[in-house]
Amino acid sequence: MDHKSPLVDSKHRICVSQLDLPPRLLLGPGPSNYDSRVRHALSANEIGHLDPKFIDLMNETQELLRYVWQTDNPFTIPVSGTGSAAMEAAIANCVEPGDVVLVGVNGYFGERLCDMASIYGADVRRIEKSWGDVFTLDEIGEALEKHRPSLLGLIHAETATGAMQPMDGIGKLCREFKSLLLLDTVTSLGGVPVFLDRWHVDVAYSGSQKCLSCPPGIAPLTLGPRAIEKLNSRKTKVANWYLDMSLVGKYWGAERTYHHTAPVNMNFALREALRIIAEEGLENRWERHLTNSKALWEGLEEIGIGLHVDEDWRLPTLTTALVPDGVDAKAVIGYLLNNFNIEISGAFGPLAGKVWRIGLMGHNSRHENVLLLIAALKEALKAA
Ligand SMILES: *Cc1c(COP(=O)(O)O)cnc(C)c1O
């Protein structure tokens, strides 16, 4: 070993080799691959998090986020953390102890919302549907009438099941019942139509590594006027210092006060990923996701693989494909990874072993990826 750069000393006998990664094609439930422009932004030279140049970039990122979400909310920021951090921020800031919180649970992420809301002291009520199903407007209306929640939480795109919740009319109902509407858009933003303001959504969050095609570690959050009003009229402090938006908002707002050091280069990466979306145009991007997913669905059915979710609410960014009888789901996942460098994923909860989860998200929603995956799956099934 070179005497100038010892990698180990006498106490720590580990051999740390140079980073050497296989070129994976990430067709699972996230993360997704990203454009080389994003990789380049990530490795841009360092500047400070209060540098006037960085503050300009922050403003641009906020404007781009408002575009992809189709919202005018001034409070629209990237949270320093993954999608779960933004999810927790949404709950921590909009829920006070004793508040009735109603959650639509039709998959794993609805469960997580319930968990988080109960940690912050909410009186959690649930409406449930089976994994792969969605809620009707009537079902939501009845539940609002019965529970009179201060907040309704829904998952727009359930990554655990591949179902997309139709949003027509829900926001209006929430206003009638004086309930805030929280929407998880982690696997929908940048992949399928999302119209936050038109849908009257009061608080929403997303993640960077799904349809935005950016590395994981930064997570968009937006608070509408009614959510801000709730935050400002709280009787109790937000029970999370790091995610207290009344504090973080001062860094992203006019004051630019230090709260925590923003992950500067992650912000560069997100800004570039959003710029790529704006160049493509949202409508074109939604169309691309739908077209490629339809090709995937057809290709799967042609090789004898069924689809778990009804076409009426099937999610174009994440497909749950039924594992044929007698096939070992895990063995196929391993075969694709080892022979083709393709990552797809299994499932959990009631769908464990029954479906594969296949993501065509953002940068990865491409015709050539569909063809490659179908060909690889065909071979994997033969081997299995
Ligand atoms: C991935 C995901 C999350 C959590 O995001 P992380 O970046 O993994 O923390 C939340 N909700 C949904 C619907 C997701 O798919």
Side-chain angles (χ1 to χ4, degrees), residues 82-85 87 109 112 155 157 159 184 186-187 205 209-210:
T82 69
S84 306
M87 187 184 209
F109 289 100
R112 187 181 285 188
I155 310 294
T159 322
D184 176 315
V186 177
T187 298
Y205 53 86
Q209 78 277 22
K210 299 193 184 176

